[in-house]
């Protein structure tokens, strides 16, 4: 056992340093995202979702750097990643709308001017909609119409349509009555 550690001591140390550095950077980013979420009035669940996205990205970065630490050749890593990205690219092309909705969800976290409880009007020529925002999720936004119907509206579409804020925090106003 000691011969294994002595043979790979540098690699163990570099791996531990890599994990500590990436963990610290990830923690700083997640805390920053949560603070941005609190300032913009978004739910904690949305901030947690963005934190998960950050974690996945850092795991992929850690795998890439760890491959170099363990002595993998650049051409081998290039081959593996190009193969993986080719498969992922085909899969994402097949489910393009899902990727588009996830990306829109991240954009909405940082720059969406409406919050849960706001009453909005979506100016869509095919399906105009006037409703209260109940929840903003990774793929869609949940809207409650005045008649009680729940509408799930894709995130990518709400960023493409004109939206009017009719009443701020409509849920709070309706609970008073």
């Amino acid at each position: 056992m000691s011969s294994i550690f002595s043979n790979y001591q540098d690699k163990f140390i570099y791996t531990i340093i890599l994990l500590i550095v990436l963990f610290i950077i990830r923690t700083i980013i997640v805390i920053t995202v949560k603070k941005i979420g609190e300032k913009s009035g978004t739910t904690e669940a949305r901030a947690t979702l963005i934190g998960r996205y950050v974690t996945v990205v850092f795991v992929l970065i850690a795998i890439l750097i760890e491959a170099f630490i363990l002595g993998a050749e650049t051409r081998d890593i290039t081959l593996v990643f190009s193969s993986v990205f080719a498969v992922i690219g085909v899969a994402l092309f097949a489910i393009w709308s899902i990727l588009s909705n996830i990306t829109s969800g991240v954009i909405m976290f940082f720059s969406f001017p409406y919050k849960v409880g706001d009453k909005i009007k979506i100016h869509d020529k095919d399906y105009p909609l006037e409703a209260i925002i109940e929840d903003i999720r990774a793929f869609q936004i949940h809207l409650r119409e005045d008649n009680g119907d729940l509408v799930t509206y894709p995130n990518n579409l709400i960023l493409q349509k004109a939206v009017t804020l009719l009443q701020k925090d409509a849920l709070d106003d309706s609970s008073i009555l």
Side-chain angles (χ1 to χ4, degrees):
M1 182 70 170
S2 64
S3 66
I4 292 174
F5 184 73
S6 63
N7 290 341
Y8 298 104
Q9 182 177 6
D10 292 343
K11 293 178 183 183
F12 283 133
I13 292 171
Y14 293 147
T15 300
I16 290 170
I17 291 171
L18 169 70
L19 293 176
I20 290 171
V21 168
L22 288 179
F23 179 76
I24 290 170
I25 293 171
R26 180 204 157 273
T27 304
I28 291 169
I29 290 174
V30 167
I31 289 170
T32 304
V33 165
K34 286 187 179 186
K35 285 183 180 180
I36 290 171
E38 288 173 5
K39 283 184 180 179
S40 64
T42 61
T43 62
E44 186 176 335
R46 287 183 63 204
T48 303
L49 181 66
I50 301 298
R52 286 183 190 152
Y53 293 158
V54 168
T55 301
V56 168
V57 168
F58 274 105
V59 166
L60 294 175
I61 291 171
I63 290 170
L64 177 65
I65 295 173
E66 185 63 23
F68 283 115
I69 289 173
L70 295 176
E73 295 290 327
T74 305
R75 60 186 157 89
D76 296 335
I77 294 174
T78 305
L79 177 66
V80 169
F81 273 92
S82 64
S83 300
V84 167
F85 284 127
V87 170
I88 291 173
V90 169
L92 291 178
F93 182 74
I95 53 172
W96 182 256
S97 65
I98 291 175
L99 178 65
S100 174
N101 284 320
I102 291 173
T103 305
S104 298
V106 172
I107 291 169
M108 287 170 60
F109 177 79
F110 289 106
S111 65
F112 195 56
Y114 313 110
K115 298 186 295 193
V116 173
D118 290 348
K119 187 168 186 176
I120 61 171
K121 180 176 182 179
I122 300 172
H123 303 277
D124 187 352
K125 67 177 182 174
D126 297 328
Y127 188 73
L129 181 63
E130 191 173 306
I132 297 172
I133 300 174
E134 266 194 6
D135 195 9
I136 303 172
R137 300 200 174 194
F139 300 106
Q140 73 271 352
I141 185 169
H142 289 188
L143 303 167
R144 183 72 63 183
E145 293 183 310
D146 291 336
N147 64 6
D149 290 345
L150 178 67
V151 177
T152 56
Y153 205 82
N155 287 341
N156 63 345
L157 289 182
I158 199 156
L159 291 180
Q160 296 174 11
K161 305 291 181 185
V163 179
T164 304
L165 178 63
L166 298 177
Q167 185 178 5
K168 202 159 190 60
D169 293 319
L171 289 178
D172 294 338
D173 294 341
S174 65
S175 64
I176 295 172
L177 301 175

